[in-house]
Amino acid sequence: AQSVTQPDIHITVSEGASLELRCNYSYGATPYLFWYVQSPGQGLQLLLKYFSGDTLVQGIKGFEAEFKRSQSSFNLRKPSVHWSDAAEYFCAVGPPIPDKLIFGTGTRLQVFP
Amino acid sequence: GAVVSQHPSRVICKSGTSVKIECRSLDFQATTMFWYRQFPKQSLMLMATSNEGSKATYEQGVEKDKFLINHASLTLSTLTVTSAHPEDSSFYICSAWGQGVSDTQYFGPGTRLTVL
């Protein structure tokens, strides 16, 4: 079965602290992996994506993610969180051609000053 | 980057009425558009995929007679919720992909539907 698991429903960090959001996937073919961010009442903004090549990908807003095939994981990281990073983060997996994306249940990030 | 808009951003309607939501690709031709539904504090679930000029393909469990999707042009897709009921209240998000334009979908800002 195809699925995406984000084990952490809610994470709270202090501003300036490092961040790691976990994502594990189950997919029958070569996965194309994505991280999106959603602010309250807003649509989705693509942070980064992995298709192939270097397993460490850089995205916008200082985020990066590492693809680990052996662990079926695609964790999102940021070395120093800003208050404006507070939002909902979704990991997603899909096929090579843009098609149905399977989303995780999301992780809500709260940032304390 | 590619921009996708949705209109309206919010709509409130009475039970039994129909509501139309528009999804437009502003600066590219969208070969394929996707409609997702998001319940409060939950993830996005794909409702249907529409290709320009073709009938939409609905996901299992989505009533195609209730959620009418039209993709009449390369820049516009519409979702009509017919005979809306309170349980249809949700956040509806579209995304668009253009062949040769990008290798990923671009998402619209979403439409909040509230059925009274």
Side-chain angles (χ1 to χ4, degrees), chain A:
Chain A
Q2 300 175 341
S3 65
V4 175
T5 301
Q6 294 181 245
D8 305 305
I9 297 174
H10 186 201
I11 285 183
T12 301
V13 299
S14 298
E15 191 171 19
S18 63
L19 172 71
E20 182 171 33
L21 303 183
R22 296 182 291 165
C23 172
N24 292 95
Y25 67 90
S26 174
Y27 200 70
T30 300
Y32 278 25
L33 294 153
F34 306 83
W35 274 101
Y36 289 91
V37 60
Q38 183 182 36
S39 297
Q42 301 296 314
L44 300 180
Q45 182 180 23
L46 179 66
L47 285 176
L48 48 78
K49 61 183 185 285
Y50 173 76
F51 287 173
S52 64
D54 192 346
T55 56
L56 183 64
V57 293
Q58 303 296 320
I60 62 172
K61 303 184 179 185
F63 285 93
E64 67 178 25
E66 185 171 14
F67 171 60
K68 294 185 177 180
R69 184 184 299 275
S70 62
Q71 298 178 20
S72 297
S73 69
F74 188 57
N75 294 348
L76 182 71
R77 300 194 293 251
K78 186 170 185 177
S80 178
V81 172
H82 189 263
W83 64 267
S84 60
D85 294 325
E88 188 88 20
Y89 291 80
F90 291 96
C91 180
V93 65
I97 298 175
D99 201 339
K100 176 180 180 178
L101 287 179
I102 299 168
F103 285 86
T105 50
T107 297
R108 180 173 298 276
L109 174 65
Q110 193 170 7
V111 181
F112 281 117

Side-chain angles (χ1 to χ4, degrees), chain B residues 9 24 33 45 49 82 92:
Chain B
S9 57
R24 293 182 184 272
M33 287 186 169
M45 299 297 293
T49 302
T82 62
Y92 293 88

Side-chain angles (χ1 to χ4, degrees), chain B residues 2 32 43 46 61 64 74 76 78 97 103:
Chain B
T32 304
S43 188
L46 181 67
K64 56 184 175 183
L74 284 171
L76 173 64
T78 60
W97 172 70
D103 55 8

Side-chain angles (χ1 to χ4, degrees), chain B residues 40-98:
Chain B
K41 299 187 178 182
Q42 294 188 30
S43 188
L44 285 78
M45 299 297 293
L46 181 67
M47 298 174 65
T49 302
S50 72
N51 294 297
E52 186 265 339
S54 302
K55 288 186 177 180
T57 302
Y58 290 81
E59 294 297 302
Q60 190 173 9
V62 178
E63 299 176 61
K64 56 184 175 183
D65 293 332
K66 180 169 188 61
F67 298 100
L68 302 179
I69 292 172
N70 183 279
H71 191 167
S73 78
L74 284 171
T75 59
L76 173 64
S77 176
T78 60
L79 167 67
T80 301
V81 183
T82 62
S83 187
H85 288 93
E87 58 265 30
D88 299 323
S89 298
S90 191
F91 194 55
Y92 293 88
I93 303 177
C94 73
S95 68
W97 172 70

